Every structure is written in structure tokens, then in C-alpha cells.
Amino acid sequence: MNPNIPFNVNTVYLITSSRPGEEGTTRRLEESISDVSNNGGNFNFSHARLHSGDGYFQLLEEIFYGIDEGLRPIVHFDMHGSQERGLEIGRTGEFIDWESVVDSLRVINTKLNNELVVLITACHGLHAILPISFEKTAPFLCLIAPEEEVKVGHIEERVPEFYRELFSSGSLAHASQKLGKEFKYFHSAEFLFRTLSRYIKEKCKGAGGQQRREDLLTEIMETRLGEFPEKISEYRSKVKQHVAPNQELLDRYTSRFLLGKASNIKIDDLLNEIEKSYL
């Protein structure tokens, strides 16, 4: 299911944090993106170097308030990353854990009404999706990041092509392909619909749905309502209605997780996608 949610980006905001001795790598990446920007890239370019963990949160706060002045960034983290510990501050060896990264980006994405695009050219950057909760707003509309380790040379070669494609075609999906198979494309709306589809298939339909209905009916009959066994048909009907996926279920998640984006998607569309998956 492709919800086709629009995004608005006018600035590449590069955030780096080099280890001592790696400044040349950062300089080359900065120069290559700046070159694309200055030669028909049609985007502004900003570069911020992080020297401490506190600096990370101060920078995100600056980006937050810059939105009021018209800033619409793609936030690009080029740092070392750890699967377990998060993003590394190169000078101090501190780490910004993935949960803190997600929470801070959620604040910006909320300000942008779920249009934030994030590129992480750090090893294991895709682990930023692990702390995501559907009970909160999505931390970004899209994330493009590697799941495993990625080589510096690969980043230097592919990132300029990514930005050329993004700002010429306007397609994140097409641009992400320029980064190669090492990078994964995560879209918050597609993630939500895949997860809801799996939930409906496992908990609302088929054997899983039947088991859930029977479990709920058993719970009802173990309460005081069980004193009226003649109403079991009525209880069964109400349980069936309760378990059946409906528009309210879908709207609850699109309004909260996607801030109303993709609200044009109807539950019948989702159910049709599920039915196709059985074929």
C-alpha cells in the first residue's frame, strides 16, 4: 500500500562528529554535498559539527526553532554508530542512545507535521527504528540508513548521487536506490500499514481471530455476565463486532502516529490488501 504522503525539504542539514584524525573524511563529504548544492542542486546546505552530547540536543533545538523561519530539513547524521549504544560523539566517545535519538527527532517531526526525512550514514543506523512506538507520533516520515556496517568510501561515492537524484526527481524511493543495497528505506506509513495488516491477519481473521473471540467470550462468561447463559448468543455477536477491524481502528493510528497523514486510506483498502496477500 502506497499512501503517497508528500514531504517538503529545502535544506540538507549535515550533522557530523568525527573521531580525532578523521576530519579529512568529514571535509570531503561536506565538500561533495556543497558542490551538489552550488551546482544546480536547488537546496540550501548547512553543516554542524558535534563536540559533546549536550551539543547534540542544543543543535536539535536550533533546528526546531529554525522551522518557524521556514527551515524544512533533511537531517543527515554522518557519525559512527553502534547497534547497542546509538550514535557516537567522536571527540568524547559519548553515545546518544537510539531511544534519545528517536525522541528528539519526534519533536522535530511533530513540528513539521510528519514530513521529516532523515538520512543516517552511520553503521547500524537502521536501529533507530527499534524504539518506535505506535502509541506516539512517528519520529520521522522516512528514514534511510544501513542495517549493518558501511564503508566510508561507499558513503563518499554514493551520497552526492543520492542528493542529485532527490532534488531532481523529488522521489525518496528513487534517491535511496543511489545509496545501494547497504541502505534500507523505511517509510513510517508503510511500516504502520504492514504492522496493522499483520495484526489483523493474526488477531482478527482466520484461526487467530477465532481463538481471540473464544478467549474474550470465555472472559465474559467468567464475570457476573456469566450468570445469564441464555445471552451467550448476544455476547458472541458483540465479541465478533469488537474483534472485527473497522475504520475507527485505522483512524486511531493514522491520526496519532501519522498526524493525520494518509487519513484518506479506508479500512476496506487495507482489508483488500490483506486479501491479495493470501493469493
Side-chain angles (χ1 to χ4, degrees):
M1 175 174 289
N2 181 8
N4 194 29
I5 297 177
F7 67 96
N8 182 12
V9 170
N10 58 23
T11 303
V12 173
Y13 211 114
L14 176 66
I15 302 173
T16 63
S17 189
S18 305
R19 292 173 180 170
E22 295 181 344
E23 293 82 3
T25 300
T26 297
R27 185 184 65 254
R28 289 193 296 273
L29 181 62
E30 176 188 17
E31 290 174 350
S32 67
I33 299 174
S34 179
D35 182 65
V36 176
S37 172
N38 294 329
N39 291 279
N42 296 316
F43 62 88
N44 301 318
F45 176 55
S46 294
H47 178 206
R49 294 175 174 84
L50 296 180
H51 303 299
S52 69
D54 289 341
Y56 169 85
F57 294 102
Q58 292 170 4
L59 175 59
L60 269 288
E61 185 175 359
E62 290 179 17
I63 294 174
F64 178 85
Y65 287 111
I67 294 169
D68 292 329
E69 306 301 321
L71 175 65
R72 296 295 181 270
I74 173 171
V75 177
H76 177 173
F77 294 102
D78 187 70
M79 306 159 69
H80 286 281
S82 166
Q83 181 174 336
E84 295 81 15
R85 303 180 69 185
L87 293 175
E88 179 186 311
I89 305 298
R91 177 175 293 187
T92 64
E94 300 170 81
F95 281 87
I96 312 298
D97 63 84
W98 292 122
E99 187 168 359
S100 296
V101 171
V102 163
D103 286 343
S104 58
L105 291 175
R106 180 180 293 110
V107 174
I108 295 177
N109 191 41
T110 301
K111 182 87 167 180
L112 288 169
N113 195 29
N114 193 28
E115 292 186 1
L116 177 63
V117 177
V118 177
L119 171 63
I120 301 181
T121 49
C123 297
H124 310 292
L126 195 67
H127 284 75
I129 71 173
L130 295 181
I132 291 178
S133 169
F134 289 131
E135 302 305 315
K136 301 176 182 179
T137 302
F140 28 71
L141 174 65
C142 293
L143 168 69
I144 303 168
E147 186 173 5
E148 306 294 339
E149 294 185 3
V150 60
K151 295 184 181 301
V152 171
H154 183 91
I155 294 171
E156 291 182 357
E157 177 185 352
R158 299 298 186 99
V159 163
E161 295 303 316
F162 167 81
Y163 284 121
R164 286 192 186 93
E165 178 65 28
L166 176 62
F167 287 96
S168 62
S169 70
S171 170
L172 279 166
H174 290 160
S176 67
Q177 294 175 6
K178 297 293 183 179
L179 293 169
K181 59 182 176 56
E182 290 84 353
F183 283 77
K184 308 300 181 184
Y185 174 67
F186 172 91
H187 192 294
S188 60
E190 293 176 356
F191 179 59
L192 172 63
F193 292 133
R194 283 199 304 270
T195 303
L196 282 178
S197 295
R198 185 167 60 249
Y199 168 78
I200 291 172
K201 290 172 71 172
E202 294 178 356
K203 300 295 184 180
C204 302
K205 300 174 75 66
Q210 178 64 30
Q211 185 60 53
R212 185 178 171 211
R213 289 190 291 272
E214 292 301 325
D215 290 344
L216 287 173
L217 186 61
T218 298
E219 289 180 19
I220 290 173
M221 298 307 294
E222 290 176 350
T223 68
R224 289 190 61 185
L225 294 176
E227 298 174 6
F228 306 96
E230 68 277 6
K231 291 190 175 183
I232 190 170
S233 294
E234 178 184 341
Y235 300 154
R236 190 180 297 277
S237 177
K238 289 183 178 180
V239 164
K240 185 176 181 180
Q241 292 176 15
H242 175 75
V243 170
N246 54 36
Q247 189 65 38
E248 182 182 358
L249 170 71
L250 184 58
D251 290 346
R252 184 164 68 248
Y253 285 104
T254 55
S255 62
R256 179 171 55 205
F257 187 68
L258 301 178
L259 292 177
K261 298 296 178 67
S263 59
N264 61 319
I265 302 296
K266 303 305 179 186
I267 190 64
D268 287 344
D269 299 326
L270 188 59
L271 295 177
N272 287 336
E273 291 288 330
I274 293 172
E275 291 301 320
K276 290 179 184 177
S277 71
Y278 291 118
L279 301 177

